[in-house]
Amino acid sequence: MSAQRMALVQPEAYSFSAAAEAEIDMWIAKYPADRQRSALIPALWIAQKDAGGWLPEVAMRAVADKLGMAYIRVYEVATFYTMYNLSPVGEHFVQLCGTTPCWLRGADDLKAVMARRVGPQNTVSSDGKLSWLEVECLGACANAPMVQISNADGDHYYEDLTAESFDALLDDLVAGRTPKRGPQNDRHTSEPEGGAIALTTKNLSNARGKMKKLPNADQKAAINYYEWDPKERRATRGGWVDPTKKASRDPKKRPDNMGKDMTAGLVDEAPNKGLPKRSSKPVGKKPQVIYKDGPTDGTPDDLKKIKGIGPKFESDLNAKGIYYYRQIGAWKVADVKLVEADALSRFPGRIKRDEWVKQAKALAKAASKKASS
């Protein structure tokens, strides 16, 4: 977390350039009309670039007015994120990584160069060309030590630095020249010095030659079309395919697969062939939830034995065709909603809160045991 402070000396006015305003409008258009503040972070970044690399207070207010936000909301964001500079910076703003990998590789030498050429952090050189700040890890640890330099050309990384190469790099920037970006030695990106030594064509060929000399080594890779990815089971358009089934490895011998999208796998037959089909017969007769023609099995149960049901609720339930414990015990979520919307509209949630269904199941079970004995 940062606790940045605004510069004491501030410009009196600021207005967006046409290019900056168009770019902010592009970001605003990405969000609904009442969610324009979602574009705040890119809008502040654009304003910072437009204002010369830092965010004056008047620029923050201009962003707030553009997005229809309170000024304090914009200040909160700008003072929190270290990507926003709240005081003037040089034409070339050097962000010098001082985290452990860069420090172990000589970041202190780079700091000494900046201190000699510019002075302390957060100050601008007398010619206005350079300023610097030590920052946390910038993610280029394999090319440590490194810096990110922000200017009118963008925000670029310069890596594999020494005090001498860094000094020469700054000389080029101050003189208006464009130095090479990335590693400042003979390295290409993050490869080892001297070039890549792994996964090259030559080495792969050597590896293949050595593989052939191994005892019991396959001379030709076998492709299992049923396990084309490393997952034990995979989804296809027709369902999961049992990998124990045998299939020809040669697509030409499998006419049913000619011209099909092979990424779905090669299937000889329907993947579910031979599996038992789901039975359409009902498992057992379920209790009815509602009886439209009155109680069907003689005397209704005493529903008042269920905690939460009094004479009034019992009368209302009977009027709706509910007479037995087994009916209430068979209620599902949809049935509960139906009953509450009709008979218990003034008491939503009562059924679940008092556990009517659980009580009714227990009473129905006890009544069944009593009847059988």
Side-chain angles (χ1 to χ4, degrees), residues 69-131:
M69 297 177 62
Y71 295 159
I72 185 60
R73 299 302 182 198
V74 177
Y75 299 159
E76 287 170 345
V77 173
T79 56
F80 181 85
Y81 291 104
T82 55
M83 61 192 275
Y84 301 121
N85 305 314
L86 303 188
S87 57
V89 297
E91 181 182 334
H92 306 285
F93 177 46
V94 179
Q95 295 141 90
L96 196 156
C97 178
T99 314
T100 306
C102 284
W103 172 67
L104 291 172
R105 294 277 293 169
D108 283 347
D109 295 337
L110 307 187
K111 294 180 193 176
V113 171
M114 293 308 302
R116 171 172 53 82
R117 297 190 62 140
V118 179
Q121 298 183 58
N122 297 311
T123 57
V124 181
S125 60
S126 57
D127 58 2
K129 294 288 186 179
L130 298 172
S131 66

Side-chain angles (χ1 to χ4, degrees), residues 148-357:
Q148 176 181 320
I149 300 180
S150 300
N151 49 35
D153 293 332
D155 307 273
H156 302 292
Y157 278 15
Y158 300 88
E159 305 153 336
D160 293 307
L161 293 164
T162 63
E164 294 74 19
S165 64
F166 186 42
D167 225 346
L169 170 67
L170 296 177
D171 286 340
D172 286 341
L173 290 172
V174 170
R177 295 187 289 270
T178 303
K180 182 187 76 166
R181 297 161 187 162
Q184 299 300 299
N185 54 12
D186 294 333
R187 263 218 285 191
H188 173 66
T189 63
S190 299
E191 291 180 355
E193 293 183 9
I197 58 175
L199 300 180
T200 62
T201 303
K202 178 180 178 181
N203 288 329
L204 287 175
S205 299
N206 291 339
R208 291 192 189 97
K210 293 177 182 178
M211 285 286 289
K212 292 179 181 180
K213 297 177 183 178
L214 295 176
N216 302 321
D218 289 336
Q219 300 300 311
K220 186 177 181 181
I223 301 174
N224 187 337
Y225 285 105
Y226 283 115
E227 297 177 302
W228 64 277
D229 63 20
K231 295 180 181 178
E232 181 182 358
R233 292 191 175 189
R234 61 179 175 79
T236 67
R237 294 187 183 92
W240 180 67
V241 179
D242 188 348
T244 60
K245 294 180 181 179
K246 295 181 179 180
S248 171
R249 302 185 196 278
D250 187 358
K252 295 180 180 178
K253 296 179 181 179
R254 300 159 58 85
D256 290 343
N257 291 308
M258 294 292 286
K260 293 184 179 179
D261 181 5
M262 294 297 104
T263 59
L266 300 177
V267 183
D268 280 335
E269 56 190 25
N272 296 323
K273 185 177 180 180
L275 296 178
K277 295 183 178 179
R278 186 184 299 273
S279 174
S280 59
K281 297 181 180 179
V283 177
K285 188 176 181 180
K286 296 182 179 179
Q288 293 186 37
V289 176
I290 301 293
Y291 289 105
K292 296 181 180 180
D293 300 324
T296 60
D297 299 333
T299 306
D301 292 330
D302 184 3
L303 301 183
K304 295 189 296 298
K305 290 185 178 181
I306 296 176
K307 178 185 175 182
I309 298 182
K312 180 65 171 66
F313 280 168
E314 183 182 45
S315 176
D316 291 343
L317 291 172
N318 289 165
K320 298 300 179 184
I322 301 164
Y323 306 96
Y324 302 105
Y325 301 139
R326 63 175 181 272
Q327 286 177 274
I328 299 176
W331 283 354
K332 304 300 182 186
V333 175
D335 303 315
V336 171
K337 289 182 178 180
L338 178 65
V339 172
E340 285 191 339
D342 194 358
L344 303 172
S345 59
R346 293 182 298 143
F347 304 95
R350 182 68 175 267
I351 296 174
K352 181 178 180 181
R353 184 168 61 251
D354 290 342
E355 297 183 323
W356 288 12
V357 176

Side-chain angles (χ1 to χ4, degrees), residues 301 305 325-326 358-373:
D301 292 330
K305 290 185 178 181
Y325 301 139
R326 63 175 181 272
K358 183 178 179 181
Q359 293 183 69
K361 285 181 179 178
L363 289 168
K365 186 176 180 181
S368 176
K369 285 184 177 180
K370 185 177 179 180
S372 60
S373 61

Side-chain angles (χ1 to χ4, degrees), residues 33-81:
D34 59 341
R35 294 290 185 271
Q36 292 185 350
R37 62 182 180 178
S38 299
L40 175 58
I41 286 181
L44 284 174
W45 182 255
I46 295 164
Q48 176 169 279
K49 289 289 187 183
D50 193 49
W54 72 293
L55 271 176
E57 194 266 344
V58 287
M60 287 186 260
R61 280 192 274 126
V63 170
D65 292 337
K66 182 81 173 171
L67 300 180
M69 297 177 62
Y71 295 159
I72 185 60
R73 299 302 182 198
V74 177
Y75 299 159
E76 287 170 345
V77 173
T79 56
F80 181 85
Y81 291 104

